[in-house]
């Protein structure tokens, strides 16, 4: 339940509100999660007047404001085509108009295609106060702790890379039961991220491309990935097939 609503015009006032001891005060992006009925009482700081919705390209990086919506990101001309697939898979057209990049990242679970893509791309975030820059891989497991009283202002992703996203779901529009997101840099560095399970996507491999090594890494990362949707054996078997498909696209 939202008990207080604030819409500050400066980052300083936003941070002042977020750092209050009581009531618990959190940033409000698109509000698609925070507006859901909930038993916990929170004060919200609406970010819409803070100009965090810009997209800038600097040499090989895309710097995305935390409040950029999924649809705005999708409509960016400089975007990898497989990333388009992951964004469309993340949310329907209506939800994409509202949901922000930071909100989607913070509220994600392991089935989130966009967060898996950010992790595979080795995306980094900027956190205030302190302008701290950390990898999405460091944020996801410790979100609650890291974000207490803090604000994500920017997410940066590389643009000079190859990216692939493959998934299996109950229906084409449903969120994945198993997904593989892979990124390859020009020097051969390859990151493979598994999705469809658990509280956050899982980084399986960050190294040079070697298919056998990638398949072993998938077995290790999904060593205990059974739930009501699929068994560990199914997930490992399927993820290996999807990873081979991703790696094949890098050779084309
Ligand atoms: C019906 C429905 C179904 C959904 N199903 C799924 C699902 O299956 N899987 C899934 O992963 N998600 C699901 N979601 C979640 C949702 O789609 C996304 O997480 C959404 O994109 C959140 O974005 P937002 O900007 O609206 O977030 P908000 O609701 O504004 O915020 C979400 C969280 O992020 C924090 N936050 C927002 N901006 C910042 C910032 N700049 N810095 C720090 N913290 C910030 C907020 O404090 C809050 O904790 C669902 C949502 C709805 C409404």
């Amino acid at each position: 339940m939202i008990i207080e609503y604030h819409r500050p015009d400066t980052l300083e006032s936003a941070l002042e509100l977020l750092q209050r001891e009581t009531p618990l005060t959190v940033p409000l992006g698109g509000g698609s999660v925070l507006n859901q009925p909930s038993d916990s009482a929170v004060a919200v700081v609406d970010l819409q007047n803070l100009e965090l919705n810009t997209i800038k390209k600097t040499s090989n990086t895309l710097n995305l404001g935390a409040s950029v919506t999924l649809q705005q990101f999708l409509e960016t001309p400089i975007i990898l085509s497989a990333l388009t697939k992951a964004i469309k898979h993340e949310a329907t057209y209506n939800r994409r108009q509202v949901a922000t990049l930071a909100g989607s990242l913070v509220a994600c679970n392991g089935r989130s295609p966009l967060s898996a893509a950010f992790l595979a791309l080795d995306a980094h975030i900027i956190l205030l106060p302190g302008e701290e820059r950390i990898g999405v891989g460091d944020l996801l497991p410790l979100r609650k702790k890291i974000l207490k009283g803090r604000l994500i202002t920017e997410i940066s992703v590389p643009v000079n890379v190859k990216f692939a996203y493959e998934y299996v779901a109950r229906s084409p529009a449903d969120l994945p039961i198993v997904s593989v997101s892979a990124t390859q840099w020009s020097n051969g560095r390859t990151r493979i991220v598994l999705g469809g399970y658990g509280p956050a996507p899982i980084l399986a491999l960050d190294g040079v491309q070697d298919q056998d090594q990638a398949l072993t890494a998938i077995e290790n990362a999904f060593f205990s990935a059974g739930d009501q949707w699929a068994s560990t054996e199914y997930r490992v078997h399927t993820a290996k097939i999807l990873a081979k498909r991703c790696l094949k696209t890098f050779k084309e």
Side-chain angles (χ1 to χ4, degrees), residues 26-34 36 47 66 90 95 98-100 102-104 106-109 112 147 150-152 175:
V26 296
L28 177 82
S32 59
V33 173
L34 288 173
Q36 297 298 305
L47 308 178
E90 175 78 19
R95 277 220 340 258
V98 177
T100 63
S104 302
V106 174
C108 85
N109 60 28
S112 161
L147 292 174
R150 304 186 80 185
L151 184 65
I152 300 171
L175 288 171

Side-chain angles (χ1 to χ4, degrees), residues 122-125 133-140:
D122 200 12
H124 280 64
I125 59 164
R133 186 174 183 271
I134 64 166
V136 163
D138 292 320
L139 170 78
L140 290 176

Side-chain angles (χ1 to χ4, degrees), residues 130-186:
E131 290 268 343
E132 192 186 356
R133 186 174 183 271
I134 64 166
V136 163
D138 292 320
L139 170 78
L140 290 176
L142 300 167
R143 274 167 278 183
K144 240 186 167 162
K145 192 173 164 211
I146 290 178
L147 292 174
K148 195 167 182 299
R150 304 186 80 185
L151 184 65
I152 300 171
T153 54
E154 193 177 285
I155 302 167
S156 58
V157 291
V159 285
N160 56 338
V161 292
K162 292 176 182 170
F163 174 75
Y165 171 63
E166 295 288 337
Y167 71 94
V168 168
R170 288 178 307 173
S171 73
D174 197 9
L175 288 171
I177 289 173
V178 184
S179 76
V180 174
S181 307
T183 306
Q184 191 167 80
W185 281 256
S186 56

Side-chain angles (χ1 to χ4, degrees), residues 91-133:
T92 57
Y93 180 75
N94 285 348
R95 277 220 340 258
R96 289 201 301 268
Q97 311 290 330
V98 177
T100 63
L101 296 179
S104 302
L105 196 56
V106 174
C108 85
N109 60 28
R111 301 183 73 196
S112 161
L114 181 69
S115 303
F118 278 151
L119 185 57
L121 287 162
D122 200 12
H124 280 64
I125 59 164
I126 304 281
L127 277 171
L128 291 184
E131 290 268 343
E132 192 186 356
R133 186 174 183 271

Side-chain angles (χ1 to χ4, degrees), residues 8-242:
D9 291 323
T10 64
L11 285 168
E12 292 72 26
S13 342
L15 287 170
E16 226 168 81
L17 288 161
L18 291 171
Q19 289 176 348
R20 298 185 299 179
E21 279 305 320
T22 55
L24 174 64
T25 308
V26 296
L28 177 82
S32 59
V33 173
L34 288 173
N35 272 328
Q36 297 298 305
S38 154
D39 290 338
S40 49
V42 288
V44 296
V45 176
D46 190 337
L47 308 178
Q48 64 178 296
N49 284 359
L50 301 179
E51 296 176 359
L52 296 176
N53 59 350
T54 58
I55 299 180
K56 290 181 194 140
K57 186 173 178 291
T58 56
S59 61
N60 294 324
T61 308
L62 210 49
N63 298 318
L64 308 157
S67 302
V68 165
T69 64
L70 301 191
Q71 188 61 25
Q72 193 186 342
F73 187 28
L74 191 62
E75 288 167 4
T76 306
I78 343 140
I79 193 168
L80 303 156
S81 65
L83 194 50
T84 304
K85 181 174 160 187
I87 300 166
K88 284 188 176 161
H89 195 201
E90 175 78 19
T92 57
Y93 180 75
N94 285 348
R95 277 220 340 258
R96 289 201 301 268
Q97 311 290 330
V98 177
T100 63
L101 296 179
S104 302
L105 196 56
V106 174
C108 85
N109 60 28
R111 301 183 73 196
S112 161
L114 181 69
S115 303
F118 278 151
L119 185 57
L121 287 162
D122 200 12
H124 280 64
I125 59 164
I126 304 281
L127 277 171
L128 291 184
E131 290 268 343
E132 192 186 356
R133 186 174 183 271
I134 64 166
V136 163
D138 292 320
L139 170 78
L140 290 176
L142 300 167
R143 274 167 278 183
K144 240 186 167 162
K145 192 173 164 211
I146 290 178
L147 292 174
K148 195 167 182 299
R150 304 186 80 185
L151 184 65
I152 300 171
T153 54
E154 193 177 285
I155 302 167
S156 58
V157 291
V159 285
N160 56 338
V161 292
K162 292 176 182 170
F163 174 75
Y165 171 63
E166 295 288 337
Y167 71 94
V168 168
R170 288 178 307 173
S171 73
D174 197 9
L175 288 171
I177 289 173
V178 184
S179 76
V180 174
S181 307
T183 306
Q184 191 167 80
W185 281 256
S186 56
N187 62 4
R189 178 190 178 197
T190 306
R191 272 170 81 91
I192 295 182
V193 166
L194 308 181
Y197 172 77
I202 301 163
L203 177 66
L205 177 86
D206 188 348
V208 286
Q209 182 184 339
D210 172 319
Q211 186 164 294
D212 291 341
Q213 203 187 341
L215 300 183
T216 307
I218 286 170
E219 267 176 38
N220 293 336
F222 261 173
F223 78 98
S224 172
D227 62 11
Q228 71 273 34
W229 304 103
S231 64
T232 295
E233 292 72 23
Y234 175 81
R235 282 202 166 95
V236 169
H237 177 77
T238 309
K240 285 181 176 181
I241 295 169
L242 300 179

